[in-house]
Each structure stands twice: as structure tokens, then as C-alpha cells.
Amino acid sequence: QVHVVESGGGLVQPGGSLRLSCVVSGSIFSIRAMGWYRQAPGKQRELVATIINAGNTNYADSVKGRFTISRDNARNTVALFMNSLKPEDTAVYYCNAELKYYAGGVYINTWGQGTQVTVSS
């Protein structure tokens, strides 16, 4: 069984910083991409940032220059460093891992339970 567990959310004032972490554990063969998505109340889930095996990253325009994603392939972890936070960054942040259970399998999107980030004074 595979587990995707996020941590690091919380309440922060506008302009502040937070670091989110995610670890993927269990019996897996490989992870191709890892990323962070978020969902604000009444809105659809949206991409925040992704990083693939080779280290190539992709960011939503709304977070470019403020957020940084990093990955530790040996530990199956991904982190999101969030700076200059704004109230509009308030959302539940979900970790996503595109993983394969065995060598001949296909890549499957696997999600964590989410962690709440609230930016408010």
C-alpha cells in the first residue's frame, strides 16, 4: 500500500513564508513526477508546481517568483517553499505523485489528503 502524506500547512500572515513537505512511502517501482496542487473554497483544484525526474519544474503563473519546488528522489519526498504569501494563496494544498507500482505497469496519479494553508492577518 502506498501512502502520500503532506505536512507543513498552517496560518501565516500576508508576506510570510511556509514550507510544505510530502513523502511517498510504500512499495513502488518509480516516481516520474511529483507536484503540488491547491483547491480554494468554491474553486477547482489547480496546479501550483510540478517537478519531474530530471529536475525540470513547472509553476503556475500566479506563484512564479514566490514559490520553489524541490525534490529528493532518494527519499521520495517533495517540498514546496512558499514566500511572499498572499491571501489568495489560501487553499488546501495537495501533494501528487505520478508513480508506477512495478516495472511493467503504467504511471498512476496518487494524491495525499491535503494540508490547509491560510494566509490572513
Side-chain angles (χ1 to χ4, degrees):
Q1 191 172 0
V2 174
H3 297 278
V4 180
V5 180
E6 305 98 336
S7 62
L11 173 64
V12 63
Q13 291 187 340
S17 300
L18 275 179
R19 177 181 183 272
L20 304 183
S21 299
C22 171
V23 58
V24 179
S25 62
S27 180
I28 58 175
F29 178 73
S30 69
I31 301 175
R32 182 165 62 188
M34 300 184 80
W36 292 92
Y37 292 72
R38 67 186 181 187
Q39 188 166 17
K43 294 187 177 181
Q44 290 188 331
R45 191 173 297 188
E46 62 177 4
L47 178 148
V48 177
T50 59
I51 183 168
I52 63 173
N53 259 332
N56 292 337
T57 57
N58 181 43
Y59 294 92
D61 287 342
S62 60
V63 307
K64 283 181 181 176
R66 301 188 297 123
F67 291 11
T68 302
I69 189 170
S70 68
R71 177 176 172 175
D72 184 334
N73 291 328
R75 298 184 180 186
N76 290 340
T77 60
V78 62
L80 185 69
F81 299 87
M82 305 185 292
N83 297 313
S84 302
L85 282 161
K86 304 175 181 179
E88 50 264 44
D89 294 317
T90 296
V92 177
Y93 283 70
Y94 296 91
C95 178
N96 173 269
E98 197 175 280
L99 56 86
K100 184 185 288 190
Y101 290 99
Y102 54 94
V106 297
Y107 282 101
I108 298 172
N109 271 317
T110 307
W111 297 89
Q113 296 291 324
T115 184
Q116 176 70 46
V117 172
T118 302
V119 185
S120 175
S121 55

